[in-house]
PDB file of all heavy atoms in Angstrom:
ATOM      1  N   ILE A   1     -11.257  43.765-160.008  1.00  0.00           N
ATOM      2  CA  ILE A   1     -10.957  44.624-158.861  1.00  0.00           C
ATOM      3  C   ILE A   1     -10.866  46.082-159.296  1.00  0.00           C
ATOM      4  O   ILE A   1     -11.372  46.991-158.621  1.00  0.00           O
ATOM      5  CB  ILE A   1      -9.657  44.177-158.187  1.00  0.00           C
ATOM      6  CG1 ILE A   1      -9.871  42.836-157.490  1.00  0.00           C
ATOM      7  CG2 ILE A   1      -9.172  45.212-157.165  1.00  0.00           C
ATOM      8  CD1 ILE A   1     -10.987  42.842-156.465  1.00  0.00           C
ATOM      9  N   ALA A   2     -10.221  46.352-160.438  1.00  0.00           N
ATOM     10  CA  ALA A   2     -10.090  47.724-160.919  1.00  0.00           C
ATOM     11  C   ALA A   2     -11.459  48.316-161.223  1.00  0.00           C
ATOM     12  O   ALA A   2     -11.754  49.462-160.838  1.00  0.00           O
ATOM     13  CB  ALA A   2      -9.203  47.760-162.164  1.00  0.00           C
ATOM     14  N   TYR A   3     -12.301  47.548-161.911  1.00  0.00           N
ATOM     15  CA  TYR A   3     -13.669  48.004-162.162  1.00  0.00           C
ATOM     16  C   TYR A   3     -14.415  48.248-160.851  1.00  0.00           C
ATOM     17  O   TYR A   3     -15.091  49.262-160.671  1.00  0.00           O
ATOM     18  CB  TYR A   3     -14.425  46.972-163.008  1.00  0.00           C
ATOM     19  CG  TYR A   3     -15.893  46.981-162.719  1.00  0.00           C
ATOM     20  CD1 TYR A   3     -16.717  47.945-163.281  1.00  0.00           C
ATOM     21  CD2 TYR A   3     -16.443  46.066-161.828  1.00  0.00           C
ATOM     22  CE1 TYR A   3     -18.060  47.977-162.973  1.00  0.00           C
ATOM     23  CE2 TYR A   3     -17.775  46.091-161.520  1.00  0.00           C
ATOM     24  CZ  TYR A   3     -18.591  47.058-162.097  1.00  0.00           C
ATOM     25  OH  TYR A   3     -19.914  47.095-161.755  1.00  0.00           O
ATOM     26  N   GLY A   4     -14.287  47.301-159.891  1.00  0.00           N
ATOM     27  CA  GLY A   4     -14.965  47.431-158.608  1.00  0.00           C
ATOM     28  C   GLY A   4     -14.528  48.668-157.852  1.00  0.00           C
ATOM     29  O   GLY A   4     -15.329  49.305-157.155  1.00  0.00           O
ATOM     30  N   ALA A   5     -13.254  49.026-157.963  1.00  0.00           N
ATOM     31  CA  ALA A   5     -12.759  50.236-157.305  1.00  0.00           C
ATOM     32  C   ALA A   5     -13.478  51.472-157.839  1.00  0.00           C
ATOM     33  O   ALA A   5     -13.801  52.401-157.091  1.00  0.00           O
ATOM     34  CB  ALA A   5     -11.249  50.367-157.505  1.00  0.00           C
ATOM     35  N   GLY A   6     -13.749  51.495-159.148  1.00  0.00           N
ATOM     36  CA  GLY A   6     -14.489  52.615-159.717  1.00  0.00           C
ATOM     37  C   GLY A   6     -15.934  52.638-159.268  1.00  0.00           C
ATOM     38  O   GLY A   6     -16.489  53.691-158.946  1.00  0.00           O
ATOM     39  N   ASP A   7     -16.547  51.458-159.235  1.00  0.00           N
ATOM     40  CA  ASP A   7     -17.933  51.360-158.808  1.00  0.00           C
ATOM     41  C   ASP A   7     -18.120  51.889-157.384  1.00  0.00           C
ATOM     42  O   ASP A   7     -19.026  52.669-157.113  1.00  0.00           O
ATOM     43  CB  ASP A   7     -18.384  49.904-158.898  1.00  0.00           C
ATOM     44  CG  ASP A   7     -19.706  49.665-158.203  1.00  0.00           C
ATOM     45  OD1 ASP A   7     -20.733  50.099-158.730  1.00  0.00           O
ATOM     46  OD2 ASP A   7     -19.700  49.055-157.106  1.00  0.00           O
ATOM     47  N   MET A   8     -17.241  51.480-156.476  1.00  0.00           N
ATOM     48  CA  MET A   8     -17.405  51.918-155.075  1.00  0.00           C
ATOM     49  C   MET A   8     -16.991  53.374-154.896  1.00  0.00           C
ATOM     50  O   MET A   8     -17.512  54.073-154.029  1.00  0.00           O
ATOM     51  CB  MET A   8     -16.611  51.004-154.139  1.00  0.00           C
ATOM     52  CG  MET A   8     -15.108  51.100-154.259  1.00  0.00           C
ATOM     53  SD  MET A   8     -14.258  49.836-153.266  1.00  0.00           S
ATOM     54  CE  MET A   8     -12.557  50.415-153.364  1.00  0.00           C
ATOM     55  N   TRP A   9     -16.047  53.848-155.708  1.00  0.00           N
ATOM     56  CA  TRP A   9     -15.530  55.214-155.576  1.00  0.00           C
ATOM     57  C   TRP A   9     -16.635  56.254-155.760  1.00  0.00           C
ATOM     58  O   TRP A   9     -16.796  57.160-154.946  1.00  0.00           O
ATOM     59  CB  TRP A   9     -14.416  55.390-156.601  1.00  0.00           C
ATOM     60  CG  TRP A   9     -13.849  56.766-156.741  1.00  0.00           C
ATOM     61  CD1 TRP A   9     -13.342  57.557-155.758  1.00  0.00           C
ATOM     62  CD2 TRP A   9     -13.719  57.506-157.957  1.00  0.00           C
ATOM     63  NE1 TRP A   9     -12.902  58.755-156.282  1.00  0.00           N
ATOM     64  CE2 TRP A   9     -13.120  58.738-157.638  1.00  0.00           C
ATOM     65  CE3 TRP A   9     -14.042  57.229-159.291  1.00  0.00           C
ATOM     66  CZ2 TRP A   9     -12.843  59.701-158.606  1.00  0.00           C
ATOM     67  CZ3 TRP A   9     -13.766  58.189-160.249  1.00  0.00           C
ATOM     68  CH2 TRP A   9     -13.173  59.412-159.900  1.00  0.00           C
ATOM     69  N   THR A  10     -17.442  56.136-156.826  1.00  0.00           N
ATOM     70  CA  THR A  10     -18.467  57.148-157.077  1.00  0.00           C
ATOM     71  C   THR A  10     -19.748  56.924-156.280  1.00  0.00           C
ATOM     72  O   THR A  10     -20.712  57.676-156.433  1.00  0.00           O
ATOM     73  CB  THR A  10     -18.790  57.236-158.581  1.00  0.00           C
ATOM     74  OG1 THR A  10     -19.040  55.925-159.102  1.00  0.00           O
ATOM     75  CG2 THR A  10     -17.648  57.877-159.342  1.00  0.00           C
ATOM     76  N   ASN A  11     -19.778  55.903-155.418  1.00  0.00           N
ATOM     77  CA  ASN A  11     -20.873  55.823-154.448  1.00  0.00           C
ATOM     78  C   ASN A  11     -20.913  57.071-153.567  1.00  0.00           C
ATOM     79  O   ASN A  11     -21.961  57.411-153.015  1.00  0.00           O
ATOM     80  CB  ASN A  11     -20.716  54.596-153.555  1.00  0.00           C
ATOM     81  CG  ASN A  11     -21.246  53.341-154.199  1.00  0.00           C
ATOM     82  OD1 ASN A  11     -22.044  53.385-155.136  1.00  0.00           O
ATOM     83  ND2 ASN A  11     -20.800  52.193-153.719  1.00  0.00           N
ATOM     84  N   MET A  12     -19.774  57.736-153.431  1.00  0.00           N
ATOM     85  CA  MET A  12     -19.730  58.942-152.608  1.00  0.00           C
ATOM     86  C   MET A  12     -20.421  60.122-153.285  1.00  0.00           C
ATOM     87  O   MET A  12     -20.656  61.152-152.653  1.00  0.00           O
ATOM     88  CB  MET A  12     -18.281  59.304-152.284  1.00  0.00           C
ATOM     89  CG  MET A  12     -17.538  58.267-151.438  1.00  0.00           C
ATOM     90  SD  MET A  12     -18.231  58.009-149.768  1.00  0.00           S
ATOM     91  CE  MET A  12     -19.270  56.549-150.018  1.00  0.00           C
ATOM     92  N   PHE A  13     -20.776  59.966-154.553  1.00  0.00           N
ATOM     93  CA  PHE A  13     -21.568  60.972-155.269  1.00  0.00           C
ATOM     94  C   PHE A  13     -22.977  60.477-155.544  1.00  0.00           C
ATOM     95  O   PHE A  13     -23.935  61.251-155.500  1.00  0.00           O
ATOM     96  CB  PHE A  13     -20.872  61.333-156.588  1.00  0.00           C
ATOM     97  CG  PHE A  13     -21.699  62.208-157.486  1.00  0.00           C
ATOM     98  CD1 PHE A  13     -21.916  63.546-157.173  1.00  0.00           C
ATOM     99  CD2 PHE A  13     -22.253  61.705-158.655  1.00  0.00           C
ATOM    100  CE1 PHE A  13     -22.685  64.350-157.996  1.00  0.00           C
ATOM    101  CE2 PHE A  13     -23.026  62.503-159.478  1.00  0.00           C
ATOM    102  CZ  PHE A  13     -23.239  63.835-159.154  1.00  0.00           C
ATOM    103  N   GLN A  14     -23.120  59.205-155.848  1.00  0.00           N
ATOM    104  CA  GLN A  14     -24.402  58.598-156.192  1.00  0.00           C
ATOM    105  C   GLN A  14     -25.113  58.181-154.895  1.00  0.00           C
ATOM    106  O   GLN A  14     -24.628  57.328-154.166  1.00  0.00           O
ATOM    107  CB  GLN A  14     -24.151  57.401-157.106  1.00  0.00           C
ATOM    108  CG  GLN A  14     -25.270  56.406-157.260  1.00  0.00           C
ATOM    109  CD  GLN A  14     -26.533  57.014-157.814  1.00  0.00           C
ATOM    110  OE1 GLN A  14     -27.435  57.329-157.047  1.00  0.00           O
ATOM    111  NE2 GLN A  14     -26.613  57.181-159.123  1.00  0.00           N
ATOM    112  N   PRO A  15     -26.297  58.779-154.585  1.00  0.00           N
ATOM    113  CA  PRO A  15     -26.920  58.556-153.263  1.00  0.00           C
ATOM    114  C   PRO A  15     -27.804  57.328-153.164  1.00  0.00           C
ATOM    115  O   PRO A  15     -28.436  57.116-152.127  1.00  0.00           O
ATOM    116  CB  PRO A  15     -27.758  59.824-153.083  1.00  0.00           C
ATOM    117  CG  PRO A  15     -28.188  60.171-154.480  1.00  0.00           C
ATOM    118  CD  PRO A  15     -27.016  59.791-155.371  1.00  0.00           C
ATOM    119  N   PHE A  16     -27.865  56.500-154.212  1.00  0.00           N
ATOM    120  CA  PHE A  16     -28.829  55.400-154.208  1.00  0.00           C
ATOM    121  C   PHE A  16     -28.681  54.497-152.991  1.00  0.00           C
ATOM    122  O   PHE A  16     -29.643  54.187-152.297  1.00  0.00           O
ATOM    123  CB  PHE A  16     -28.684  54.585-155.495  1.00  0.00           C
ATOM    124  CG  PHE A  16     -29.590  53.385-155.548  1.00  0.00           C
ATOM    125  CD1 PHE A  16     -30.946  53.537-155.756  1.00  0.00           C
ATOM    126  CD2 PHE A  16     -29.093  52.100-155.379  1.00  0.00           C
ATOM    127  CE1 PHE A  16     -31.793  52.435-155.805  1.00  0.00           C
ATOM    128  CE2 PHE A  16     -29.926  50.996-155.426  1.00  0.00           C
ATOM    129  CZ  PHE A  16     -31.280  51.158-155.643  1.00  0.00           C
ATOM    130  N   TRP A  17     -27.439  54.044-152.722  1.00  0.00           N
ATOM    131  CA  TRP A  17     -27.250  53.089-151.640  1.00  0.00           C
ATOM    132  C   TRP A  17     -27.274  53.741-150.265  1.00  0.00           C
ATOM    133  O   TRP A  17     -27.201  53.049-149.245  1.00  0.00           O
ATOM    134  CB  TRP A  17     -25.950  52.312-151.839  1.00  0.00           C
ATOM    135  CG  TRP A  17     -26.027  51.412-153.027  1.00  0.00           C
ATOM    136  CD1 TRP A  17     -25.352  51.526-154.206  1.00  0.00           C
ATOM    137  CD2 TRP A  17     -26.868  50.264-153.177  1.00  0.00           C
ATOM    138  NE1 TRP A  17     -25.718  50.530-155.073  1.00  0.00           N
ATOM    139  CE2 TRP A  17     -26.643  49.742-154.469  1.00  0.00           C
ATOM    140  CE3 TRP A  17     -27.793  49.637-152.341  1.00  0.00           C
ATOM    141  CZ2 TRP A  17     -27.310  48.614-154.951  1.00  0.00           C
ATOM    142  CZ3 TRP A  17     -28.454  48.508-152.815  1.00  0.00           C
ATOM    143  CH2 TRP A  17     -28.211  48.011-154.100  1.00  0.00           C
ATOM    144  N   ALA A  18     -27.394  55.071-150.234  1.00  0.00           N
ATOM    145  CA  ALA A  18     -27.523  55.749-148.943  1.00  0.00           C
ATOM    146  C   ALA A  18     -28.947  55.694-148.411  1.00  0.00           C
ATOM    147  O   ALA A  18     -29.186  56.072-147.261  1.00  0.00           O
ATOM    148  CB  ALA A  18     -27.075  57.207-149.064  1.00  0.00           C
ATOM    149  N   ILE A  19     -29.891  55.227-149.225  1.00  0.00           N
ATOM    150  CA  ILE A  19     -31.304  55.276-148.834  1.00  0.00           C
ATOM    151  C   ILE A  19     -31.568  54.578-147.495  1.00  0.00           C
ATOM    152  O   ILE A  19     -32.233  55.156-146.618  1.00  0.00           O
ATOM    153  CB  ILE A  19     -32.185  54.686-149.953  1.00  0.00           C
ATOM    154  CG1 ILE A  19     -32.128  55.580-151.196  1.00  0.00           C
ATOM    155  CG2 ILE A  19     -33.631  54.541-149.493  1.00  0.00           C
ATOM    156  CD1 ILE A  19     -32.759  54.960-152.428  1.00  0.00           C
ATOM    157  N   PRO A  20     -31.085  53.345-147.277  1.00  0.00           N
ATOM    158  CA  PRO A  20     -31.333  52.727-145.955  1.00  0.00           C
ATOM    159  C   PRO A  20     -30.710  53.530-144.815  1.00  0.00           C
ATOM    160  O   PRO A  20     -31.323  53.689-143.752  1.00  0.00           O
ATOM    161  CB  PRO A  20     -30.674  51.351-146.093  1.00  0.00           C
ATOM    162  CG  PRO A  20     -30.604  51.091-147.556  1.00  0.00           C
ATOM    163  CD  PRO A  20     -30.376  52.423-148.186  1.00  0.00           C
ATOM    164  N   LEU A  21     -29.490  54.030-145.011  1.00  0.00           N
ATOM    165  CA  LEU A  21     -28.838  54.831-143.973  1.00  0.00           C
ATOM    166  C   LEU A  21     -29.642  56.092-143.684  1.00  0.00           C
ATOM    167  O   LEU A  21     -29.817  56.480-142.517  1.00  0.00           O
ATOM    168  CB  LEU A  21     -27.417  55.181-144.407  1.00  0.00           C
ATOM    169  CG  LEU A  21     -26.620  56.102-143.478  1.00  0.00           C
ATOM    170  CD1 LEU A  21     -25.165  55.647-143.365  1.00  0.00           C
ATOM    171  CD2 LEU A  21     -26.650  57.551-143.978  1.00  0.00           C
ATOM    172  N   LEU A  22     -30.148  56.735-144.720  1.00  0.00           N
ATOM    173  CA  LEU A  22     -30.916  57.957-144.526  1.00  0.00           C
ATOM    174  C   LEU A  22     -32.195  57.678-143.743  1.00  0.00           C
ATOM    175  O   LEU A  22     -32.617  58.486-142.918  1.00  0.00           O
ATOM    176  CB  LEU A  22     -31.246  58.589-145.884  1.00  0.00           C
ATOM    177  CG  LEU A  22     -30.044  59.015-146.735  1.00  0.00           C
ATOM    178  CD1 LEU A  22     -30.501  59.475-148.116  1.00  0.00           C
ATOM    179  CD2 LEU A  22     -29.261  60.116-146.043  1.00  0.00           C
ATOM    180  N   GLY A  23     -32.801  56.516-144.017  1.00  0.00           N
ATOM    181  CA  GLY A  23     -34.008  56.168-143.270  1.00  0.00           C
ATOM    182  C   GLY A  23     -33.729  55.934-141.794  1.00  0.00           C
ATOM    183  O   GLY A  23     -34.493  56.374-140.928  1.00  0.00           O
ATOM    184  N   ILE A  24     -32.641  55.267-141.484  1.00  0.00           N
ATOM    185  CA  ILE A  24     -32.297  54.982-140.091  1.00  0.00           C
ATOM    186  C   ILE A  24     -31.899  56.249-139.344  1.00  0.00           C
ATOM    187  O   ILE A  24     -32.292  56.458-138.195  1.00  0.00           O
ATOM    188  CB  ILE A  24     -31.155  53.947-140.033  1.00  0.00           C
ATOM    189  CG1 ILE A  24     -31.651  52.594-140.534  1.00  0.00           C
ATOM    190  CG2 ILE A  24     -30.603  53.808-138.610  1.00  0.00           C
ATOM    191  CD1 ILE A  24     -30.545  51.580-140.753  1.00  0.00           C
ATOM    192  N   THR A  25     -31.126  57.108-140.004  1.00  0.00           N
ATOM    193  CA  THR A  25     -30.594  58.302-139.335  1.00  0.00           C
ATOM    194  C   THR A  25     -31.531  59.491-139.418  1.00  0.00           C
ATOM    195  O   THR A  25     -31.292  60.510-138.770  1.00  0.00           O
ATOM    196  CB  THR A  25     -29.238  58.702-139.952  1.00  0.00           C
ATOM    197  OG1 THR A  25     -29.408  58.980-141.346  1.00  0.00           O
ATOM    198  CG2 THR A  25     -28.219  57.588-139.770  1.00  0.00           C
ATOM    199  N   ARG A  26     -32.600  59.374-140.223  1.00  0.00           N
ATOM    200  CA  ARG A  26     -33.575  60.459-140.430  1.00  0.00           C
ATOM    201  C   ARG A  26     -32.947  61.676-141.121  1.00  0.00           C
ATOM    202  O   ARG A  26     -33.333  62.812-140.850  1.00  0.00           O
ATOM    203  CB  ARG A  26     -34.221  60.885-139.109  1.00  0.00           C
ATOM    204  CG  ARG A  26     -34.895  59.783-138.326  1.00  0.00           C
ATOM    205  CD  ARG A  26     -36.081  59.192-139.107  1.00  0.00           C
ATOM    206  NE  ARG A  26     -36.891  58.365-138.252  1.00  0.00           N
ATOM    207  CZ  ARG A  26     -36.725  57.055-138.090  1.00  0.00           C
ATOM    208  NH1 ARG A  26     -35.755  56.433-138.734  1.00  0.00           N
ATOM    209  NH2 ARG A  26     -37.528  56.369-137.302  1.00  0.00           N
TER     210      ARG A  26
END
């Protein structure tokens, strides 16, 4: 859980997983 908290935390800087959202929202 502690490791997972770090992984999800820096998603707000790392844009990789934003790609589908960016495609939908243009």
Side-chain angles (χ1 to χ4, degrees):
I1 290 303
Y3 150 80
D7 168 72
M8 68 187 191
W9 173 54
T10 50
N11 277 340
M12 296 297 97
F13 172 72
Q14 163 60 261
F16 177 73
W17 292 111
I19 294 170
L21 176 140
L22 299 173
I24 292 169
T25 60
R26 304 297 193 269

